[in-house]
Amino acid sequence: MSSHHIVKEKQEPALYIDELGNFNEELLGQLLEWSPTLLVSGENYEKIISLGLKVDVLVNGKETGTQEDTKFVHGLVDDLMVAMNYLYEEKFPAVNVITTKFDLEKFAGFEDKINLVVFTEKSKHYAIKSGFSVWKPAGSEFLIHGNRYFEVTNLMQNEEGIFEVVNDGFVEFTFSGQPIFISEPI
């Protein structure tokens, strides 16, 4: 007996590939597992289709020589901003982004509009709200972006500014105002 899963549109986070770089192929496969809506920057289109992937939305790319049924989105700002604005306007609840460098300023403003996880080659970055809590083993590491006042439990900051989990258990973040971005190695 086989099992069939019906995935409703926008139920899974969309995947936007801004820059693939040397991203881990196994993790890419995991992000594509449930056939999310796939958006790709024009500069990465050829590389992505060479991997045998079906691109749903091409951002700031040429409208000739593309796969059938590909939607085109153009804008005057950089590809990342065009993609994020498109996803927000189309009411996508969540997106995973693959890029080579996490730039906090580019994602600021979206942290409370769309559930956002940004993957780079070695880290994942995501916005959290006050009260966010997660179980982690001792020695796990976090970077906390921005310079706002916040309180944490079960974390200690080392000389490099990296927060390390002290004991196996829950880590909790408390602060006021907008969500903040944290990062952890992958």
Side-chain angles (χ1 to χ4, degrees):
M1 182 198 274
S2 66
S3 67
H4 296 278
H5 298 280
I6 298 172
V7 178
K8 294 178 184 171
E9 193 171 323
K10 300 181 185 173
Q11 183 176 333
E12 291 298 313
L15 176 60
Y16 171 58
I17 301 176
D18 187 52
E19 294 179 77
L20 195 56
N22 295 319
F23 194 73
N24 181 298
E25 286 184 30
E26 187 178 325
L27 183 52
L28 176 61
Q30 291 173 17
L31 293 172
L32 290 165
E33 190 172 10
W34 293 97
S35 301
T37 299
L38 178 60
L39 297 86
V40 175
S41 69
E43 290 178 16
N44 281 267
Y45 181 73
E46 294 297 325
K47 183 173 186 175
I48 300 306
I49 62 169
S50 75
L51 297 173
L53 300 175
K54 169 69 178 103
V55 175
D56 298 300
V57 180
L58 181 57
V59 179
N60 284 341
K62 296 181 187 136
E63 295 191 22
T64 55
T66 55
Q67 295 170 327
E68 238 181 278
D69 301 323
T70 300
K71 186 173 184 174
F72 301 93
V73 179
H74 297 281
L76 300 175
V77 291
D78 72 5
D79 297 351
L80 179 65
M81 291 298 96
V82 173
M84 293 302 296
N85 284 316
Y86 168 80
L87 290 163
Y88 176 69
E89 288 168 11
E90 292 293 315
K91 297 183 177 33
F92 277 82
V95 61
N96 292 316
V97 176
I98 297 174
T99 190
T100 53
K101 180 178 177 269
F102 177 71
D103 183 346
L104 179 62
E105 288 183 18
K106 287 190 174 192
F107 294 100
F110 290 102
E111 69 271 9
D112 60 345
K113 294 180 178 156
I114 189 167
N115 187 349
L116 173 66
V117 180
V118 181
F119 291 89
T120 57
E121 191 178 329
K122 295 184 177 358
S123 304
K124 81 175 183 180
H125 316 264
Y126 51 98
I128 61 168
K129 295 179 178 168
S130 183
F132 174 79
S133 172
V134 63
W135 190 95
K136 289 288 181 180
S140 298
E141 297 179 339
F142 290 99
L143 269 177
I144 301 174
H145 299 278
N147 56 3
R148 298 208 335 241
Y149 174 79
F150 55 88
E151 293 179 9
V152 292
T153 59
N154 197 21
L155 284 180
M156 185 170 295
Q157 191 171 17
N158 67 21
E159 303 82 45
E160 292 92 44
I162 297 171
F163 289 84
E164 290 183 20
V165 177
V166 179
N167 299 305
D168 289 358
F170 281 95
V171 174
E172 186 171 353
F173 298 81
T174 309
F175 51 89
S176 60
Q178 293 290 96
I180 60 172
F181 277 95
I182 63 173
S183 302
E184 58 183 290
I186 52 174

